[in-house]
Amino acid sequence: MSRLVITDQSTKRVQMIEINRISPNLRQPRKSFNTRELFSLADSIHRYGILQPLSVRKRADENYELVSGERRLRAADLLKMDTVPCIIVNADERTSAAMAIVENIQRSDLNIFEEAEAISTLKELYNMTQEEIASSLSVSQSYVANKLRILRLNEDQRKLILENSLTERHCRSLIRISDEKRQNEALDHIIRHSLNVAGTESYIDKLLSDKPRHAVTTKPKQLKDIRIFYNSIDKAIKTVRNFGINVSSEFNEKDDRTEINIIVPKHLNL
């Protein structure tokens, strides 16, 4: 098992690098960028410059891959800047990915699913336990576990949750429902009625408490005495005989079963 250890292996020297030589980090956990915030950052950079250099790593083709600072890079691109200040980090692809993930997890502007996906990627990248991830991020193990649990929700559900500004606690309530169809119905109810967290928890508690009663009513009846079955067959045969049909039956006892043969004549004397 690999332990995540990221040491400071940068050159410590700031270099100006052309924007068109810097490619994005494919492990970047942030999937969406707020346009207004980018323009606000671009305005700040226009006034004061980029105060914190970007981190990049050199690739085999002599170009660079971004390690951290994608918002600054995007804002600089909006300003049509040719170069940006960078610190070159001596890291392989795996370590570069981990550095990008950790930096973004520790920021406050990831949405709840981006943060959960980032933690999941970190877990897969380094085969780390939840306890090890928690230690690396300086958070509790339950914090990591709760983040990973909300990834059980599908993409459509996540989109509705974000569009309606629902919280992680709403998500944790929803995943208590195991059936996806019932999850969707519950989510629709929560959104239509603008339920807060307490209202959502109460609503889902009621949904789950109703389920066992429904299960009892649909439980199939069990035949407790096989003699009842035999008597039913005898009654059926007698009923047929009353209509003048000479039906007969044979019961053959075997070691592990009883074989019942019902004999009906081909030519009926009606």
PDB file of all heavy atoms in Angstrom, residues 163-198:
ATOM      1  N   GLU A 163     -28.423  22.086  -8.819  1.00  0.00           N
ATOM      2  CA  GLU A 163     -29.275  23.138  -9.382  1.00  0.00           C
ATOM      3  C   GLU A 163     -30.221  23.718  -8.332  1.00  0.00           C
ATOM      4  O   GLU A 163     -30.602  24.886  -8.412  1.00  0.00           O
ATOM      5  CB  GLU A 163     -30.084  22.585 -10.556  1.00  0.00           C
ATOM      6  CG  GLU A 163     -29.266  22.344 -11.812  1.00  0.00           C
ATOM      7  CD  GLU A 163     -30.080  21.716 -12.930  1.00  0.00           C
ATOM      8  OE1 GLU A 163     -31.227  21.279 -12.650  1.00  0.00           O
ATOM      9  OE2 GLU A 163     -29.576  21.653 -14.061  1.00  0.00           O
ATOM     10  N   ASN A 164     -30.606  22.898  -7.358  1.00  0.00           N
ATOM     11  CA  ASN A 164     -31.556  23.349  -6.340  1.00  0.00           C
ATOM     12  C   ASN A 164     -30.882  23.643  -4.998  1.00  0.00           C
ATOM     13  O   ASN A 164     -31.569  23.784  -3.973  1.00  0.00           O
ATOM     14  CB  ASN A 164     -32.647  22.297  -6.163  1.00  0.00           C
ATOM     15  CG  ASN A 164     -33.566  22.213  -7.365  1.00  0.00           C
ATOM     16  OD1 ASN A 164     -34.519  22.976  -7.484  1.00  0.00           O
ATOM     17  ND2 ASN A 164     -33.283  21.292  -8.280  1.00  0.00           N
ATOM     18  N   SER A 165     -29.549  23.748  -5.024  1.00  0.00           N
ATOM     19  CA  SER A 165     -28.771  24.151  -3.849  1.00  0.00           C
ATOM     20  C   SER A 165     -29.041  23.288  -2.616  1.00  0.00           C
ATOM     21  O   SER A 165     -29.092  23.789  -1.488  1.00  0.00           O
ATOM     22  CB  SER A 165     -29.047  25.635  -3.523  1.00  0.00           C
ATOM     23  OG  SER A 165     -28.731  26.457  -4.616  1.00  0.00           O
ATOM     24  N   LEU A 166     -29.225  21.990  -2.838  1.00  0.00           N
ATOM     25  CA  LEU A 166     -29.367  21.088  -1.706  1.00  0.00           C
ATOM     26  C   LEU A 166     -27.982  20.788  -1.119  1.00  0.00           C
ATOM     27  O   LEU A 166     -26.966  20.972  -1.777  1.00  0.00           O
ATOM     28  CB  LEU A 166     -30.050  19.789  -2.145  1.00  0.00           C
ATOM     29  CG  LEU A 166     -31.461  19.940  -2.727  1.00  0.00           C
ATOM     30  CD1 LEU A 166     -32.061  18.573  -3.029  1.00  0.00           C
ATOM     31  CD2 LEU A 166     -32.376  20.710  -1.776  1.00  0.00           C
ATOM     32  N   THR A 167     -27.972  20.319   0.105  1.00  0.00           N
ATOM     33  CA  THR A 167     -26.714  20.151   0.823  1.00  0.00           C
ATOM     34  C   THR A 167     -26.279  18.687   0.873  1.00  0.00           C
ATOM     35  O   THR A 167     -27.010  17.790   0.476  1.00  0.00           O
ATOM     36  CB  THR A 167     -26.857  20.662   2.268  1.00  0.00           C
ATOM     37  OG1 THR A 167     -27.751  19.772   2.974  1.00  0.00           O
ATOM     38  CG2 THR A 167     -27.421  22.079   2.301  1.00  0.00           C
ATOM     39  N   GLU A 168     -25.084  18.495   1.414  1.00  0.00           N
ATOM     40  CA  GLU A 168     -24.580  17.133   1.583  1.00  0.00           C
ATOM     41  C   GLU A 168     -25.463  16.331   2.522  1.00  0.00           C
ATOM     42  O   GLU A 168     -25.643  15.123   2.350  1.00  0.00           O
ATOM     43  CB  GLU A 168     -23.142  17.186   2.116  1.00  0.00           C
ATOM     44  CG  GLU A 168     -22.481  15.817   2.228  1.00  0.00           C
ATOM     45  CD  GLU A 168     -21.049  15.911   2.720  1.00  0.00           C
ATOM     46  OE1 GLU A 168     -20.354  16.871   2.331  1.00  0.00           O
ATOM     47  OE2 GLU A 168     -20.644  15.030   3.495  1.00  0.00           O
ATOM     48  N   ARG A 169     -26.056  16.977   3.513  1.00  0.00           N
ATOM     49  CA  ARG A 169     -26.935  16.262   4.441  1.00  0.00           C
ATOM     50  C   ARG A 169     -28.216  15.818   3.739  1.00  0.00           C
ATOM     51  O   ARG A 169     -28.768  14.762   4.077  1.00  0.00           O
ATOM     52  CB  ARG A 169     -27.236  17.130   5.659  1.00  0.00           C
ATOM     53  CG  ARG A 169     -26.046  17.295   6.595  1.00  0.00           C
ATOM     54  CD  ARG A 169     -26.388  18.139   7.798  1.00  0.00           C
ATOM     55  NE  ARG A 169     -27.426  17.544   8.616  1.00  0.00           N
ATOM     56  CZ  ARG A 169     -28.004  18.164   9.637  1.00  0.00           C
ATOM     57  NH1 ARG A 169     -27.630  19.405   9.968  1.00  0.00           N
ATOM     58  NH2 ARG A 169     -28.942  17.571  10.345  1.00  0.00           N
ATOM     59  N   HIS A 170     -28.690  16.600   2.777  1.00  0.00           N
ATOM     60  CA  HIS A 170     -29.806  16.136   1.951  1.00  0.00           C
ATOM     61  C   HIS A 170     -29.407  14.842   1.233  1.00  0.00           C
ATOM     62  O   HIS A 170     -30.181  13.883   1.164  1.00  0.00           O
ATOM     63  CB  HIS A 170     -30.186  17.189   0.900  1.00  0.00           C
ATOM     64  CG  HIS A 170     -30.969  18.352   1.427  1.00  0.00           C
ATOM     65  ND1 HIS A 170     -30.384  19.532   1.803  1.00  0.00           N
ATOM     66  CD2 HIS A 170     -32.306  18.514   1.620  1.00  0.00           C
ATOM     67  CE1 HIS A 170     -31.311  20.387   2.204  1.00  0.00           C
ATOM     68  NE2 HIS A 170     -32.494  19.793   2.109  1.00  0.00           N
ATOM     69  N   CYS A 171     -28.194  14.839   0.689  1.00  0.00           N
ATOM     70  CA  CYS A 171     -27.699  13.664  -0.036  1.00  0.00           C
ATOM     71  C   CYS A 171     -27.619  12.450   0.867  1.00  0.00           C
ATOM     72  O   CYS A 171     -28.008  11.332   0.478  1.00  0.00           O
ATOM     73  CB  CYS A 171     -26.321  13.949  -0.630  1.00  0.00           C
ATOM     74  SG  CYS A 171     -26.278  15.280  -1.838  1.00  0.00           S
ATOM     75  N   ARG A 172     -27.095  12.641   2.065  1.00  0.00           N
ATOM     76  CA  ARG A 172     -26.926  11.511   2.972  1.00  0.00           C
ATOM     77  C   ARG A 172     -28.280  10.932   3.384  1.00  0.00           C
ATOM     78  O   ARG A 172     -28.399   9.730   3.631  1.00  0.00           O
ATOM     79  CB  ARG A 172     -26.109  11.933   4.199  1.00  0.00           C
ATOM     80  CG  ARG A 172     -24.682  12.345   3.859  1.00  0.00           C
ATOM     81  CD  ARG A 172     -23.724  12.047   5.000  1.00  0.00           C
ATOM     82  NE  ARG A 172     -24.053  12.743   6.216  1.00  0.00           N
ATOM     83  CZ  ARG A 172     -23.554  13.925   6.575  1.00  0.00           C
ATOM     84  NH1 ARG A 172     -22.728  14.568   5.755  1.00  0.00           N
ATOM     85  NH2 ARG A 172     -23.878  14.488   7.716  1.00  0.00           N
ATOM     86  N   SER A 173     -29.289  11.767   3.452  1.00  0.00           N
ATOM     87  CA  SER A 173     -30.638  11.266   3.728  1.00  0.00           C
ATOM     88  C   SER A 173     -31.162  10.458   2.550  1.00  0.00           C
ATOM     89  O   SER A 173     -31.749   9.390   2.728  1.00  0.00           O
ATOM     90  CB  SER A 173     -31.592  12.431   4.027  1.00  0.00           C
ATOM     91  OG  SER A 173     -31.280  13.056   5.249  1.00  0.00           O
ATOM     92  N   LEU A 174     -30.932  10.960   1.351  1.00  0.00           N
ATOM     93  CA  LEU A 174     -31.432  10.281   0.145  1.00  0.00           C
ATOM     94  C   LEU A 174     -30.848   8.885  -0.023  1.00  0.00           C
ATOM     95  O   LEU A 174     -31.549   7.950  -0.408  1.00  0.00           O
ATOM     96  CB  LEU A 174     -31.106  11.116  -1.096  1.00  0.00           C
ATOM     97  CG  LEU A 174     -32.145  12.122  -1.560  1.00  0.00           C
ATOM     98  CD1 LEU A 174     -31.601  12.924  -2.731  1.00  0.00           C
ATOM     99  CD2 LEU A 174     -33.439  11.427  -1.964  1.00  0.00           C
ATOM    100  N   ILE A 175     -29.552   8.730   0.260  1.00  0.00           N
ATOM    101  CA  ILE A 175     -28.923   7.433   0.010  1.00  0.00           C
ATOM    102  C   ILE A 175     -29.324   6.383   1.040  1.00  0.00           C
ATOM    103  O   ILE A 175     -28.959   5.217   0.898  1.00  0.00           O
ATOM    104  CB  ILE A 175     -27.377   7.551  -0.047  1.00  0.00           C
ATOM    105  CG1 ILE A 175     -26.811   8.112   1.259  1.00  0.00           C
ATOM    106  CG2 ILE A 175     -26.945   8.383  -1.237  1.00  0.00           C
ATOM    107  CD1 ILE A 175     -25.299   8.204   1.259  1.00  0.00           C
ATOM    108  N   ARG A 176     -30.113   6.769   2.033  1.00  0.00           N
ATOM    109  CA  ARG A 176     -30.682   5.777   2.935  1.00  0.00           C
ATOM    110  C   ARG A 176     -31.721   4.930   2.203  1.00  0.00           C
ATOM    111  O   ARG A 176     -32.028   3.813   2.621  1.00  0.00           O
ATOM    112  CB  ARG A 176     -31.319   6.466   4.145  1.00  0.00           C
ATOM    113  CG  ARG A 176     -30.319   7.145   5.073  1.00  0.00           C
ATOM    114  CD  ARG A 176     -31.042   7.979   6.121  1.00  0.00           C
ATOM    115  NE  ARG A 176     -31.971   7.169   6.907  1.00  0.00           N
ATOM    116  CZ  ARG A 176     -32.983   7.677   7.599  1.00  0.00           C
ATOM    117  NH1 ARG A 176     -33.217   8.986   7.591  1.00  0.00           N
ATOM    118  NH2 ARG A 176     -33.774   6.880   8.292  1.00  0.00           N
ATOM    119  N   ILE A 177     -32.252   5.468   1.105  1.00  0.00           N
ATOM    120  CA  ILE A 177     -33.206   4.729   0.278  1.00  0.00           C
ATOM    121  C   ILE A 177     -32.411   3.914  -0.731  1.00  0.00           C
ATOM    122  O   ILE A 177     -31.641   4.466  -1.510  1.00  0.00           O
ATOM    123  CB  ILE A 177     -34.165   5.692  -0.444  1.00  0.00           C
ATOM    124  CG1 ILE A 177     -34.901   6.573   0.569  1.00  0.00           C
ATOM    125  CG2 ILE A 177     -35.150   4.928  -1.320  1.00  0.00           C
ATOM    126  CD1 ILE A 177     -35.732   7.673  -0.061  1.00  0.00           C
ATOM    127  N   SER A 178     -32.594   2.615  -0.737  1.00  0.00           N
ATOM    128  CA  SER A 178     -31.777   1.751  -1.592  1.00  0.00           C
ATOM    129  C   SER A 178     -32.284   1.684  -3.030  1.00  0.00           C
ATOM    130  O   SER A 178     -31.495   1.483  -3.957  1.00  0.00           O
ATOM    131  CB  SER A 178     -31.712   0.333  -1.008  1.00  0.00           C
ATOM    132  OG  SER A 178     -33.026  -0.193  -0.856  1.00  0.00           O
ATOM    133  N   ASP A 179     -33.584   1.862  -3.236  1.00  0.00           N
ATOM    134  CA  ASP A 179     -34.161   1.746  -4.572  1.00  0.00           C
ATOM    135  C   ASP A 179     -34.047   3.069  -5.322  1.00  0.00           C
ATOM    136  O   ASP A 179     -34.474   4.119  -4.823  1.00  0.00           O
ATOM    137  CB  ASP A 179     -35.631   1.325  -4.470  1.00  0.00           C
ATOM    138  CG  ASP A 179     -36.290   1.179  -5.826  1.00  0.00           C
ATOM    139  OD1 ASP A 179     -35.970   0.217  -6.536  1.00  0.00           O
ATOM    140  OD2 ASP A 179     -37.104   2.055  -6.189  1.00  0.00           O
ATOM    141  N   GLU A 180     -33.469   3.045  -6.520  1.00  0.00           N
ATOM    142  CA  GLU A 180     -33.227   4.281  -7.276  1.00  0.00           C
ATOM    143  C   GLU A 180     -34.529   4.992  -7.652  1.00  0.00           C
ATOM    144  O   GLU A 180     -34.597   6.228  -7.622  1.00  0.00           O
ATOM    145  CB  GLU A 180     -32.417   3.965  -8.531  1.00  0.00           C
ATOM    146  CG  GLU A 180     -31.962   5.213  -9.275  1.00  0.00           C
ATOM    147  CD  GLU A 180     -31.038   4.900 -10.435  1.00  0.00           C
ATOM    148  OE1 GLU A 180     -29.896   4.483 -10.182  1.00  0.00           O
ATOM    149  OE2 GLU A 180     -31.480   5.063 -11.584  1.00  0.00           O
ATOM    150  N   LYS A 181     -35.545   4.235  -8.017  1.00  0.00           N
ATOM    151  CA  LYS A 181     -36.826   4.854  -8.386  1.00  0.00           C
ATOM    152  C   LYS A 181     -37.414   5.609  -7.205  1.00  0.00           C
ATOM    153  O   LYS A 181     -37.888   6.745  -7.352  1.00  0.00           O
ATOM    154  CB  LYS A 181     -37.796   3.782  -8.863  1.00  0.00           C
ATOM    155  CG  LYS A 181     -39.146   4.347  -9.292  1.00  0.00           C
ATOM    156  CD  LYS A 181     -40.083   3.246  -9.764  1.00  0.00           C
ATOM    157  CE  LYS A 181     -41.447   3.833 -10.145  1.00  0.00           C
ATOM    158  NZ  LYS A 181     -42.399   2.774 -10.567  1.00  0.00           N
ATOM    159  N   ARG A 182     -37.375   5.002  -6.035  1.00  0.00           N
ATOM    160  CA  ARG A 182     -37.898   5.675  -4.835  1.00  0.00           C
ATOM    161  C   ARG A 182     -37.018   6.869  -4.462  1.00  0.00           C
ATOM    162  O   ARG A 182     -37.509   7.878  -3.956  1.00  0.00           O
ATOM    163  CB  ARG A 182     -37.974   4.686  -3.670  1.00  0.00           C
ATOM    164  CG  ARG A 182     -38.975   3.560  -3.885  1.00  0.00           C
ATOM    165  CD  ARG A 182     -39.116   2.720  -2.642  1.00  0.00           C
ATOM    166  NE  ARG A 182     -39.919   3.400  -1.628  1.00  0.00           N
ATOM    167  CZ  ARG A 182     -39.776   3.238  -0.328  1.00  0.00           C
ATOM    168  NH1 ARG A 182     -38.826   2.433   0.144  1.00  0.00           N
ATOM    169  NH2 ARG A 182     -40.540   3.870   0.524  1.00  0.00           N
ATOM    170  N   GLN A 183     -35.717   6.755  -4.711  1.00  0.00           N
ATOM    171  CA  GLN A 183     -34.824   7.904  -4.496  1.00  0.00           C
ATOM    172  C   GLN A 183     -35.261   9.083  -5.358  1.00  0.00           C
ATOM    173  O   GLN A 183     -35.340  10.221  -4.879  1.00  0.00           O
ATOM    174  CB  GLN A 183     -33.385   7.533  -4.847  1.00  0.00           C
ATOM    175  CG  GLN A 183     -32.598   6.883  -3.746  1.00  0.00           C
ATOM    176  CD  GLN A 183     -31.146   6.658  -4.151  1.00  0.00           C
ATOM    177  OE1 GLN A 183     -30.773   6.859  -5.308  1.00  0.00           O
ATOM    178  NE2 GLN A 183     -30.321   6.217  -3.224  1.00  0.00           N
ATOM    179  N   ASN A 184     -35.525   8.812  -6.639  1.00  0.00           N
ATOM    180  CA  ASN A 184     -35.937   9.882  -7.558  1.00  0.00           C
ATOM    181  C   ASN A 184     -37.248  10.515  -7.119  1.00  0.00           C
ATOM    182  O   ASN A 184     -37.409  11.740  -7.190  1.00  0.00           O
ATOM    183  CB  ASN A 184     -36.069   9.328  -8.979  1.00  0.00           C
ATOM    184  CG  ASN A 184     -34.736   8.956  -9.598  1.00  0.00           C
ATOM    185  OD1 ASN A 184     -33.699   9.501  -9.220  1.00  0.00           O
ATOM    186  ND2 ASN A 184     -34.742   8.023 -10.526  1.00  0.00           N
ATOM    187  N   GLU A 185     -38.181   9.685  -6.680  1.00  0.00           N
ATOM    188  CA  GLU A 185     -39.468  10.218  -6.209  1.00  0.00           C
ATOM    189  C   GLU A 185     -39.278  11.072  -4.969  1.00  0.00           C
ATOM    190  O   GLU A 185     -39.893  12.145  -4.837  1.00  0.00           O
ATOM    191  CB  GLU A 185     -40.415   9.049  -5.918  1.00  0.00           C
ATOM    192  CG  GLU A 185     -40.857   8.291  -7.172  1.00  0.00           C
ATOM    193  CD  GLU A 185     -41.599   7.004  -6.851  1.00  0.00           C
ATOM    194  OE1 GLU A 185     -41.624   6.625  -5.650  1.00  0.00           O
ATOM    195  OE2 GLU A 185     -42.147   6.385  -7.783  1.00  0.00           O
ATOM    196  N   ALA A 186     -38.409  10.616  -4.067  1.00  0.00           N
ATOM    197  CA  ALA A 186     -38.141  11.379  -2.850  1.00  0.00           C
ATOM    198  C   ALA A 186     -37.458  12.706  -3.176  1.00  0.00           C
ATOM    199  O   ALA A 186     -37.793  13.756  -2.614  1.00  0.00           O
ATOM    200  CB  ALA A 186     -37.281  10.549  -1.897  1.00  0.00           C
ATOM    201  N   LEU A 187     -36.496  12.667  -4.101  1.00  0.00           N
ATOM    202  CA  LEU A 187     -35.794  13.889  -4.488  1.00  0.00           C
ATOM    203  C   LEU A 187     -36.752  14.896  -5.107  1.00  0.00           C
ATOM    204  O   LEU A 187     -36.693  16.101  -4.817  1.00  0.00           O
ATOM    205  CB  LEU A 187     -34.664  13.547  -5.478  1.00  0.00           C
ATOM    206  CG  LEU A 187     -33.834  14.720  -6.004  1.00  0.00           C
ATOM    207  CD1 LEU A 187     -33.220  15.514  -4.861  1.00  0.00           C
ATOM    208  CD2 LEU A 187     -32.741  14.219  -6.951  1.00  0.00           C
ATOM    209  N   ASP A 188     -37.653  14.411  -5.951  1.00  0.00           N
ATOM    210  CA  ASP A 188     -38.650  15.288  -6.558  1.00  0.00           C
ATOM    211  C   ASP A 188     -39.531  15.929  -5.479  1.00  0.00           C
ATOM    212  O   ASP A 188     -39.822  17.127  -5.533  1.00  0.00           O
ATOM    213  CB  ASP A 188     -39.511  14.483  -7.536  1.00  0.00           C
ATOM    214  CG  ASP A 188     -40.576  15.339  -8.195  1.00  0.00           C
ATOM    215  OD1 ASP A 188     -40.202  16.254  -8.959  1.00  0.00           O
ATOM    216  OD2 ASP A 188     -41.785  15.108  -7.950  1.00  0.00           O
ATOM    217  N   HIS A 189     -39.928  15.148  -4.484  1.00  0.00           N
ATOM    218  CA  HIS A 189     -40.748  15.672  -3.383  1.00  0.00           C
ATOM    219  C   HIS A 189     -39.987  16.732  -2.587  1.00  0.00           C
ATOM    220  O   HIS A 189     -40.536  17.786  -2.239  1.00  0.00           O
ATOM    221  CB  HIS A 189     -41.161  14.512  -2.472  1.00  0.00           C
ATOM    222  CG  HIS A 189     -41.993  14.926  -1.296  1.00  0.00           C
ATOM    223  ND1 HIS A 189     -43.371  15.008  -1.337  1.00  0.00           N
ATOM    224  CD2 HIS A 189     -41.637  15.304  -0.035  1.00  0.00           C
ATOM    225  CE1 HIS A 189     -43.822  15.406  -0.161  1.00  0.00           C
ATOM    226  NE2 HIS A 189     -42.781  15.590   0.648  1.00  0.00           N
ATOM    227  N   ILE A 190     -38.735  16.447  -2.297  1.00  0.00           N
ATOM    228  CA  ILE A 190     -37.903  17.391  -1.523  1.00  0.00           C
ATOM    229  C   ILE A 190     -37.777  18.723  -2.256  1.00  0.00           C
ATOM    230  O   ILE A 190     -37.882  19.806  -1.646  1.00  0.00           O
ATOM    231  CB  ILE A 190     -36.509  16.779  -1.272  1.00  0.00           C
ATOM    232  CG1 ILE A 190     -36.623  15.575  -0.326  1.00  0.00           C
ATOM    233  CG2 ILE A 190     -35.535  17.811  -0.708  1.00  0.00           C
ATOM    234  CD1 ILE A 190     -35.383  14.691  -0.299  1.00  0.00           C
ATOM    235  N   ILE A 191     -37.555  18.656  -3.568  1.00  0.00           N
ATOM    236  CA  ILE A 191     -37.391  19.881  -4.355  1.00  0.00           C
ATOM    237  C   ILE A 191     -38.705  20.645  -4.466  1.00  0.00           C
ATOM    238  O   ILE A 191     -38.750  21.861  -4.268  1.00  0.00           O
ATOM    239  CB  ILE A 191     -36.828  19.542  -5.753  1.00  0.00           C
ATOM    240  CG1 ILE A 191     -35.391  19.024  -5.633  1.00  0.00           C
ATOM    241  CG2 ILE A 191     -36.879  20.761  -6.672  1.00  0.00           C
ATOM    242  CD1 ILE A 191     -34.818  18.458  -6.914  1.00  0.00           C
ATOM    243  N   ARG A 192     -39.795  19.931  -4.763  1.00  0.00           N
ATOM    244  CA  ARG A 192     -41.096  20.595  -4.953  1.00  0.00           C
ATOM    245  C   ARG A 192     -41.578  21.275  -3.679  1.00  0.00           C
ATOM    246  O   ARG A 192     -42.220  22.325  -3.739  1.00  0.00           O
ATOM    247  CB  ARG A 192     -42.142  19.588  -5.429  1.00  0.00           C
ATOM    248  CG  ARG A 192     -42.037  19.244  -6.916  1.00  0.00           C
ATOM    249  CD  ARG A 192     -43.226  18.435  -7.429  1.00  0.00           C
ATOM    250  NE  ARG A 192     -43.249  17.099  -6.859  1.00  0.00           N
ATOM    251  CZ  ARG A 192     -44.122  16.696  -5.949  1.00  0.00           C
ATOM    252  NH1 ARG A 192     -45.036  17.538  -5.476  1.00  0.00           N
ATOM    253  NH2 ARG A 192     -44.094  15.455  -5.481  1.00  0.00           N
ATOM    254  N   HIS A 193     -41.249  20.678  -2.543  1.00  0.00           N
ATOM    255  CA  HIS A 193     -41.713  21.234  -1.274  1.00  0.00           C
ATOM    256  C   HIS A 193     -40.628  22.042  -0.554  1.00  0.00           C
ATOM    257  O   HIS A 193     -40.831  22.462   0.584  1.00  0.00           O
ATOM    258  CB  HIS A 193     -42.221  20.112  -0.365  1.00  0.00           C
ATOM    259  CG  HIS A 193     -43.466  19.446  -0.868  1.00  0.00           C
ATOM    260  ND1 HIS A 193     -43.454  18.434  -1.808  1.00  0.00           N
ATOM    261  CD2 HIS A 193     -44.780  19.681  -0.582  1.00  0.00           C
ATOM    262  CE1 HIS A 193     -44.688  18.048  -2.072  1.00  0.00           C
ATOM    263  NE2 HIS A 193     -45.513  18.788  -1.352  1.00  0.00           N
ATOM    264  N   SER A 194     -39.493  22.242  -1.222  1.00  0.00           N
ATOM    265  CA  SER A 194     -38.393  23.044  -0.656  1.00  0.00           C
ATOM    266  C   SER A 194     -38.063  22.616   0.775  1.00  0.00           C
ATOM    267  O   SER A 194     -37.942  23.446   1.687  1.00  0.00           O
ATOM    268  CB  SER A 194     -38.759  24.542  -0.687  1.00  0.00           C
ATOM    269  OG  SER A 194     -39.031  24.962  -1.996  1.00  0.00           O
ATOM    270  N   LEU A 195     -37.899  21.321   0.965  1.00  0.00           N
ATOM    271  CA  LEU A 195     -37.643  20.805   2.313  1.00  0.00           C
ATOM    272  C   LEU A 195     -36.222  21.144   2.767  1.00  0.00           C
ATOM    273  O   LEU A 195     -35.268  20.969   2.008  1.00  0.00           O
ATOM    274  CB  LEU A 195     -37.835  19.287   2.348  1.00  0.00           C
ATOM    275  CG  LEU A 195     -39.237  18.747   2.058  1.00  0.00           C
ATOM    276  CD1 LEU A 195     -39.268  17.229   2.229  1.00  0.00           C
ATOM    277  CD2 LEU A 195     -40.277  19.395   2.964  1.00  0.00           C
ATOM    278  N   ASN A 196     -36.114  21.612   3.998  1.00  0.00           N
ATOM    279  CA  ASN A 196     -34.779  21.806   4.565  1.00  0.00           C
ATOM    280  C   ASN A 196     -34.248  20.456   5.051  1.00  0.00           C
ATOM    281  O   ASN A 196     -34.888  19.417   4.858  1.00  0.00           O
ATOM    282  CB  ASN A 196     -34.815  22.842   5.696  1.00  0.00           C
ATOM    283  CG  ASN A 196     -35.755  22.438   6.824  1.00  0.00           C
ATOM    284  OD1 ASN A 196     -36.113  21.267   6.967  1.00  0.00           O
ATOM    285  ND2 ASN A 196     -36.155  23.392   7.643  1.00  0.00           N
ATOM    286  N   VAL A 197     -33.086  20.461   5.688  1.00  0.00           N
ATOM    287  CA  VAL A 197     -32.477  19.195   6.094  1.00  0.00           C
ATOM    288  C   VAL A 197     -33.363  18.450   7.090  1.00  0.00           C
ATOM    289  O   VAL A 197     -33.600  17.239   6.945  1.00  0.00           O
ATOM    290  CB  VAL A 197     -31.078  19.437   6.696  1.00  0.00           C
ATOM    291  CG1 VAL A 197     -30.543  18.156   7.330  1.00  0.00           C
ATOM    292  CG2 VAL A 197     -30.116  19.931   5.619  1.00  0.00           C
ATOM    293  N   ALA A 198     -33.868  19.154   8.088  1.00  0.00           N
ATOM    294  CA  ALA A 198     -34.702  18.506   9.103  1.00  0.00           C
ATOM    295  C   ALA A 198     -35.971  17.932   8.473  1.00  0.00           C
ATOM    296  O   ALA A 198     -36.381  16.804   8.793  1.00  0.00           O
ATOM    297  CB  ALA A 198     -35.053  19.506  10.207  1.00  0.00           C
TER     298      ALA A 198
END
